[in-house]
Amino acid sequence: QVQLVESGGGLVQAGGSLRLSCAASGRTFSRSVMGWFRQAPGKEREFVAAINWSGGSAYYGDSVKGRFTISRDNAKNTVYLQMNSLKPDDTAVYYCAANSLGTPWSVQSRYDYWGQGTQVTVSS
């Protein structure tokens, strides 16, 4: 099993940056694809980014390409989401998730473990 705890959310002005962290426990972290999703009020949960076990391959949702970067440190059992050039539309609860079920990485049902989420609010 994998337990996930997100941190780093908060309130930031448009154009600013935040870095989210997701600390994982469990022996299978280093072999799991890790992803970030987000859910804004009244909207469905949306794929943000995912990274493979080695960190050598990453995939992003269209709305965050060029602004967000996902990375991981397997020695620390942690995955990160660096968010730059933030916009009010990025306001959401951000969730970290672990995927042991394979592709496609953008599909929520491929993720079998989820964190509790961290709130990101971008003011205009």
Side-chain angles (χ1 to χ4, degrees):
Q1 286 201 350
V2 177
Q3 290 81 42
L4 304 171
V5 179
E6 303 96 334
S7 62
L11 174 63
V12 64
Q13 288 189 333
S17 298
L18 278 177
R19 188 176 81 155
L20 305 183
S21 299
C22 174
S25 61
R27 293 180 296 172
T28 61
F29 171 80
S30 62
R31 300 194 297 272
S32 297
V33 169
M34 298 299 297
W36 286 95
F37 289 77
R38 67 186 183 186
Q39 187 167 20
K43 295 186 177 181
E44 294 188 355
R45 193 171 295 186
E46 173 190 22
F47 170 74
V48 175
I51 190 166
N52 74 334
W53 69 271
S54 70
S57 182
Y59 180 61
Y60 296 92
D62 288 342
S63 61
V64 306
K65 280 180 183 176
R67 299 188 298 123
F68 291 11
T69 303
I70 189 172
S71 62
R72 67 190 296 164
D73 185 339
N74 287 340
K76 296 182 178 180
N77 277 11
T78 302
V79 63
Y80 304 97
L81 184 68
Q82 178 66 43
M83 305 186 295
N84 298 330
S85 302
L86 283 161
K87 307 174 182 179
D89 284 349
D90 294 318
T91 295
V93 177
Y94 284 71
Y95 297 91
C96 172
N99 172 347
S100 65
L101 302 176
T103 57
W105 294 356
S106 62
V107 175
Q108 294 182 53
S109 61
R110 309 311 288 171
Y111 293 79
D112 37 3
Y113 299 101
W114 292 81
Q116 82 289 349
T118 185
Q119 177 71 47
V120 171
T121 303
V122 184
S123 63
S124 57

